[in-house]
Amino acid sequence: MRTLVQKTEAFLEWGGIKKEITLLAISGVALVVSIFDLLPLPFDAAWVAIVLCGIPIVLEALIGLITAFDIKADVLVSLALIAAVLIGEDFAAGEVAFIMQLGSLLEDLTVAKARAGIEKLVQLTPQTARRISGGAEEVIPAENVRVGDVLRVLPGETIPVDGVILTGETSVNQAVMTGESLPVDKGPGDEVSSGTVNQFGSFDMRAAKVGEDSSIQSMIRLVQSADAGKAKIVGLADRWATWIVVTALVAAAGTWAVTGEIIRAVTILVVFCPCAL
């Protein structure tokens, strides 16, 4: 069973975002053909969207249920898809699958962009610093810099920590921190931030904020916390999904028991599950 689950997960992940975009494009065209009845097909064109967008959703829901009995939003969508097909609402099933996969794609693109931003910031984190001690200059790891150390920054180098310029004049590219397109002139007494780039002259500075307290590390934490906050919201929605699934099933079962009409009971699922999302 574990091997089958792993192979299914690998299949779903194959192709990445390019595959998702391709399947969405084909499904979108199929839904347009279905709603306007543009082609004389032997089947409803909406089935293309059901297969391409709906089956991955159902498989992900099954994997979550089998591996951890995890009831998430995709379980709700799967119920709505199956219910819509059972009552013959093929277009509604394809439409729900298309919308949910589109939302999943947008989420994946947002997460990928956030991760790329974090990786870029990490790459900008300086690895070494030039410390002046007893009149001599030594290159040390940036994490070994302490508050009060005197550092020398040469033209073209990234400023290793936050501090104040003691001697020398230069221009600093602060685009990574402030978005300014032009370098900013700096001189004695001016503050400089880690991760920014010294453009022209060399200068000596005194370290003020080092390690996790530096500007570049604070920005990395800010981006990470923003992404984590989004993940918490998604987790909250998934926890509510458990109760929504139970409520939808109870409502459908109650409708069937009272009316004796399976179609009406299934319709409850079709309407209730997507609206709850």
Side-chain angles (χ1 to χ4, degrees):
M1 178 63 71
R2 180 177 298 179
T3 302
L4 178 60
V5 169
Q6 291 175 344
K7 288 183 178 180
T8 303
E9 289 178 334
F11 170 74
L12 291 175
E13 294 174 358
W14 174 80
I17 291 178
K18 290 183 178 180
K19 180 199 72 176
E20 293 182 29
I21 294 175
T22 301
L23 296 183
L24 278 170
I26 296 173
S27 299
V29 172
L31 289 174
V32 172
V33 171
S34 174
I35 194 171
F36 292 109
D37 196 19
L38 298 178
L39 296 175
L41 299 175
F43 58 90
D44 192 334
W47 270 98
V48 175
I50 295 174
V51 172
L52 297 182
C53 294
I55 289 181
I57 294 174
V58 175
L59 290 177
E60 288 176 0
L62 288 175
I63 290 173
L65 289 173
I66 293 172
T67 57
F69 197 68
D70 194 8
I71 300 177
K72 294 184 178 180
D74 51 11
V75 176
L76 283 173
V77 179
S78 298
L79 287 175
L81 287 174
I82 296 171
V85 171
L86 288 176
I87 64 175
E89 293 291 341
D90 297 335
F91 180 81
E95 183 182 21
V96 169
F98 176 81
I99 291 174
M100 293 307 300
Q101 286 295 71
L102 178 61
S104 177
L105 173 63
L106 295 176
E107 181 180 350
D108 290 342
L109 291 173
T110 301
V111 171
K113 186 176 180 180
R115 288 176 178 172
I118 293 174
E119 291 175 359
K120 183 177 180 180
L121 289 174
V122 171
Q123 292 173 358
L124 291 174
T125 303
Q127 301 300 313
T128 61
R130 300 174 183 273
R131 183 168 62 187
I132 306 299
S133 180
E137 178 182 311
E138 59 176 338
V139 177
I140 62 172
E143 60 265 22
N144 291 345
V145 176
R146 298 292 178 263
V147 174
D149 285 351
V150 176
L151 308 176
R152 178 164 295 162
V153 183
L154 301 181
E157 291 184 341
T158 301
I159 299 173
V161 298
D162 294 9
V164 178
I165 294 179
L166 299 176
T167 61
E169 295 184 351
T170 186
S171 292
V172 177
N173 185 344
Q174 301 182 144
V176 66
M177 301 300 296
T178 65
E180 295 172 283
S181 59
L182 297 177
V184 178
D185 292 335
K186 299 283 186 178
D190 290 333
E191 296 181 351
V192 288
S193 301
S194 59
T196 58
V197 180
N198 180 27
Q199 293 286 82
F200 303 116
S202 63
F203 62 87
D204 292 347
M205 59 175 285
R206 187 177 301 280
K209 294 181 180 180
V210 301
E212 295 298 319
D213 295 329
S214 64
S215 297
I216 191 70
Q217 292 298 326
S218 297
M219 181 172 290
I220 292 174
R221 287 197 303 273
L222 182 62
V223 175
Q224 290 174 333
S225 64
D227 192 41
K230 177 179 175 296
K232 291 178 181 178
I233 294 174
V234 174
L236 179 62
D238 286 335
R239 285 196 295 272
W240 275 104
T242 302
W243 297 103
I244 296 173
V245 167
V246 173
T247 303
L249 291 175
V250 169
T255 302
W256 186 20
V258 172
T259 65
E261 298 180 15
I262 185 63
I263 297 297
R264 184 171 296 180
V266 173
T267 303
I268 293 292
L269 290 177
V270 176
V271 174
F272 191 87
C273 290
C275 289
L277 292 172

